[in-house]
Amino acid sequence: MRWNLRLPAANKGIWKASELQRSLSEHGLVIPAGKMSGLWSGQPVSLKLEDLDVICVVLGCEIGDLLIPEPEKVRRPGQAEGTERAAVGAGTAARAVVPKRRGGRSLPPE
């Protein structure tokens, strides 16, 4: 998942972490400066579901506006570490590798 707080905040006219922090505290969610920095920078360490509710209310957004799925980053069974696979349904079909002779012609099937 990718954290996407700043775009919904900008859509609401909030351009600084301190502005959002103030709005959240008006709705009962007090976030320390260090945690707010993580939320704003895009690298939150942890977040309670109840906090997400308040953030969505303050920004007038849905949870899908804050959390962007990245299924291509999920390691699948049989996949070597460090290799990436295209997301299912991404519209790209895998092409078979066909060995060719140096002259450019395909080798006969075995």
Side-chain angles (χ1 to χ4, degrees):
M1 287 284 174
R2 182 169 45 95
W3 180 243
N4 183 42
L5 176 67
R6 291 176 82 163
L7 181 60
N11 288 336
K12 191 72 173 179
I14 297 174
W15 301 101
K16 295 180 180 178
S18 58
E19 293 175 44
L20 179 57
Q21 190 175 21
R22 195 170 21 261
S23 293
L24 293 172
S25 68
E26 291 171 0
H27 284 80
L29 177 58
V30 177
I31 298 180
K35 187 170 183 176
M36 190 66 217
S37 176
L39 290 174
W40 192 255
S41 70
Q43 300 300 323
V45 175
S46 66
L47 196 57
K48 294 179 183 177
L49 295 176
E50 296 84 21
D51 296 351
L52 284 172
D53 282 332
V54 176
I55 292 170
C56 286
V57 167
V58 168
L59 297 179
C61 68
E62 299 290 325
I63 191 68
D65 299 323
L66 297 173
L67 296 171
I68 310 292
E70 296 180 305
E72 68 277 3
K73 290 187 175 182
V74 175
R75 189 166 160 240
R76 290 164 174 80
Q79 180 182 358
E81 250 184 83
T83 61
E84 295 179 13
R85 290 181 52 167
V88 175
T92 57
R95 294 183 356 204
V97 176
V98 179
K100 295 188 178 200
R101 290 191 173 122
R102 288 190 178 155
R105 294 184 307 185
S106 296
L107 293 172
E110 293 180 0

